[in-house]
Amino acid sequence: MNFFKKLTAIVLVFSMSVLLSSACLKPVKPLLPEGTKIKRSSAVQAVMMNTISSNDFPYKKNLLNSEMQNYVQNTVKHLHEIGINTIFYEAVNEFQSMCFIKSCPESSFLRTEKDIRYRTDPLKLIKQQADQYGMDVYVVINPYKIGDTSKINLLKEKYKILNDNVFIYDDEAYFLPNENVMKYAADMSKEFVKKYQVEGIVLKEFELGPYSQFQKMNDFWIKQFSYIKNEIESVKSDAIVGAIFDDSSENHEIYQSIALNLLENMAIDTVIPRINQTTDEGYEKTVKDWYKIVSKYSVPMITINNAYRIFAPTKENSFCANRFELNCQAIINENMGIRGVIIDDYTSLVNKFTDIQNSLSTLFVNDIKTTDYDYKIDNKLKVNFVRSGVVNTDKNYVYVTGTCNPKKPLFLNNKKIDNVMPNGIFGINLPVKDDVNIFMFRQGNSYSTIRIYKEGKVSIDYDKKISSIVPETTYPNKSQMIDSGHIITLSCVAPSGSTVTATLQKHSIVLEQSDEVEEGLPALFEGYMTIDDEIPPLSVTDMGKISYAMTYNGKINVSRSQGNLFIAGAKASKAVKVDDYMAYVYSEPDEESPSLYTMKMGATDYVIADTEDFYELKSGGFIKKNSVKIISGTPRIEASYTSYTTENDPKGETVNIMGNNAANIKTKMTDNSIIFTFYNTKTLPDIIPSNTQQFKNIIKLKIDEDTYQLQFIFKDDVDPWGYNYKYYGENHQNLKIYFKFKPKLSEKTAKPLENVSVYIDPACVDTEFDTLNIMENYGLHEAEINLNIALKTKELLEAMGANVVLSRYDNKYLGNLERMTSATQSNADFFISVAHNHIKNNEDRLNVYGSTVEYSNKSWQDFADILTNSMKVSTGRRINEPIEKEDLVMQITACPSVTLKNGYLSNPNEYNKILEPISTYKTASAIANAILDMLI
């Protein structure tokens, strides 16, 4: 029984959705040889091998037998490696066959110029090789097109079937539709399935004559396909019969009408439209039109997608130049229940565009399993932004968001709201006037009311009575260093009317209540203490934490300060040590001021002055107090580096410099060198660039008494990639400097990134401070969306051979120290943090949108530019220009390091677009594309 007749019977039992989820156009082949492992996709992933006129296959005439055999073997092997599971081979084109059958004259490609004897049969070779890999082979024939008119008279002398059976249309010769031609095409199809055991016969360009004749030809086409099916069944084959419809014409409605007639008469088993649109909207619309036709008859459908038009954009056209566009189209197909994709012509993937070879392995990576997030929106009326129903603001507008049923009208104070997204998300900027503002949202019988108060006009008392000390208010909340003899202000917040005593070691004072408020309400308690005795000179003493004891209503409550208090004796040197992964050194004691450089964990420096939140360093600049530890005792942090060693590995070179302390180091990367400035350093060895692949010279300069510079100058032919340094040893006394080689693409076409490692950081923040999306607590938050994109990107890159590490694989919160330590240890060639953006809650979120690539090191601006362009090509969404921004998370100097802010989750339009599955894939594609472009 014909395979698709079997499917018709199955439809009586199973639903069509189950039918169309079947793996391929026919059952899987018999088992492969023992030990062979083939991962078969759930969809048809095919390539079209066009022949003769296009010179797609073979690549030249007059191949020797051995050359043809090697060519076929390598081609099929390569297709298998990149995930192709089906081959459509154009066996007959322009009245010539690219194989040996009696029904049609063989091609001149199969002969030598001097010897007309049969040579190697390429179709036989393709079928044999495909069977070894579990691949299907379908034969594509064009039984009606003879060729251009110049060949007719010569051919008529040799082949009787041409006499009186030819007509000319648009300077091309075709067979006239008649019984002889029908029999000729049917005999040819029968011979193919009997001799080569192919899985099916597919006709192309069978729509003869001018368009006005199309409707008149329906009976002929129905009869022709029926002839072919009968002949195939006569040799007891279950090979299918399909038809290719060229949708690039403006007359696609006529082609769809032809397909409909053939399906109504059960003349074909599968429909294959050739779709050339490359924009998502145009492609998806065309596919839907075709799918409506085939779904009526439970017939599978696959599409032919034009690789050349995607990969070869010109100034005159607007086609995409994205390597992953074919994959996007395959995903759209899969999401709609369409069986698969045929890439139109093998040559456009392999021979014409060299950079395309570096991403072939990503084709059809569309069944990636990422975290199963529920993207569905609850279509009940909810005003999400205002959780309590009450807002106090001094702004003139408050932006309110929510969800509703998109199929029903939504009203605000009895006026219809128009800007509701198709999935039910809405956002509106509400004007805030004086006094009380009441806004009532209504949809059907559902209501939600919020009240907005203008601050300064209406006072609302939120104060509540307390019964203990508020721990966060005890001084110091972070460790502080005070000079001996200076007055210390001790303070905390406790219930009004209580008694509070502060104790520092043996010193105690009773604090006085500063605020006159009702008993039990929070009040500030303060006291003053001077410690100048028992503090040794030239030393810094750790006095520990301050204890606060409160008595109230007969009960005692004790709380300790979060930070320690250090007292510096007379003429003591004060020093600090970085205890975070990395810390900025600012030009002013203000986080908004420009940063001068970063200090890494273990680095030390002297303190010459301080403010409430910053220490001023001897080497210049200001560092935040919560980024460092105070060094107690008599600190001597000058470094003496005395010796060094070098070592190499496949990914880079290392210089180890041994010393006694961790000098404060400032680094700078230029076009041809990397400069290290060592502060508080007494000695530094000369480093000789022996056994180095990167440097032509290493220069040591003494800047002043305790400052040195090492300048590593690259060879002229070296493309600097990145560097890293870290302190090591029990006291961080030694220094390891690592210079990374630029990674190279693998010579394996299917695995171009085999030598490349990528670290992806799906940014996560505590959910309390997560980037607010349009859904607030009711929808996906930034951390979840970031992770989903990262997982998809990981799968894409791994398909190309890359080694990929993620900073997290779940929604556990990670701090900068954990993220950056993991990134450094991975020794990655690329660092990419995936995040999203937002704006303040009282701003109109509809007016801010677009993705932005950020970089904090000018050396990585090139990669930021490449990723920005890749996002423009891949996603179709608005992409802002890359910006330089100081961010600790990007301070990975050993490789290009950027943060992709993938749009504004606070904008309902953008949030809706970001959550589309195809959008997630396209963002991942943009990242993978940028990495390839950076290395090509």
Side-chain angles (χ1 to χ4, degrees), residues 167-363:
F167 79 99
I168 307 300
Y169 172 69
D170 198 20
D171 293 326
E172 294 284 347
Y174 294 86
F175 281 121
L176 284 169
N178 56 41
E179 291 289 333
N180 289 334
V181 174
M182 285 186 191
K183 187 175 184 306
Y184 157 70
D187 288 344
M188 183 190 305
S189 301
K190 176 181 177 180
E191 192 173 357
F192 275 123
V193 298
K194 184 177 181 181
K195 179 176 180 180
Y196 297 97
Q197 298 294 303
V198 294
E199 279 68 33
I201 304 295
V202 178
L203 271 62
K204 62 175 286 190
E205 297 180 357
F206 63 89
E207 312 95 331
L208 305 179
Y211 297 136
S212 60
Q213 298 180 8
F214 273 3
Q215 299 301 328
K216 300 177 184 178
M217 294 295 296
N218 277 327
D219 290 341
F220 171 79
W221 289 323
I222 293 169
K223 197 171 183 180
Q224 171 68 91
F225 281 102
S226 298
Y227 264 40
I228 293 174
K229 294 181 74 171
N230 289 337
E231 288 299 310
I232 290 175
E233 290 182 359
S234 72
V235 294
K236 298 181 180 180
S237 170
D238 63 355
I240 69 165
V241 177
I244 296 174
F245 300 88
D246 192 346
D247 196 81
S248 61
S249 167
E250 296 178 356
N251 295 276
H252 63 273
E253 292 180 0
I254 296 178
Y255 287 113
Q256 292 174 0
S257 174
I258 297 170
L260 192 61
N261 287 326
L262 292 173
L263 290 169
E264 286 177 349
N265 289 275
M266 298 182 67
I268 55 177
D269 302 316
T270 186
V271 171
I272 307 175
R274 185 193 304 273
I275 301 177
N276 290 320
Q277 288 89 343
T278 57
T279 61
D280 286 346
E281 293 78 9
Y283 180 84
E284 190 165 4
K285 180 181 183 303
T286 304
V287 170
K288 283 182 178 178
D289 289 344
W290 279 100
Y291 187 64
K292 287 178 183 178
I293 294 173
V294 300
S295 61
K296 294 179 182 178
Y297 301 95
S298 303
V299 170
M301 164 183 159
I302 54 179
T303 62
I304 298 182
N305 300 61
N306 198 319
Y308 184 90
R309 292 164 69 95
I310 289 173
F311 291 135
T314 67
K315 294 180 180 179
E316 290 74 30
N317 68 31
S318 58
F319 302 129
C320 294
N322 176 18
R323 296 178 180 88
F324 302 94
E325 187 66 28
L326 281 175
N327 223 342
C328 292
Q329 293 177 358
I331 291 175
I332 291 173
N333 280 16
E334 188 175 39
N335 290 340
M336 293 178 61
I338 294 168
R339 198 65 62 80
V341 168
I342 306 172
I343 303 173
D344 192 8
D345 82 80
Y346 176 67
T347 303
S348 65
L349 291 179
V350 177
N351 295 334
K352 297 180 182 178
F353 315 109
T354 55
D355 64 321
I356 303 309
Q357 297 185 55
N358 295 322
S359 60
L360 282 175
S361 58
T362 64
L363 291 174

Side-chain angles (χ1 to χ4, degrees), residues 555-571:
K555 295 182 179 180
I556 298 176
N557 171 246
V558 178
S559 184
R560 302 178 72 199
S561 64
Q562 293 182 346
N564 287 18
L565 187 66
F566 291 76
I567 306 295
K571 298 183 179 180

Side-chain angles (χ1 to χ4, degrees), residues 146-158:
I146 302 169
D148 63 70
T149 53
S150 63
K151 302 175 182 178
I152 299 305
N153 292 332
L154 179 63
L155 291 172
K156 279 184 177 181
E157 295 177 4
K158 295 184 63 176

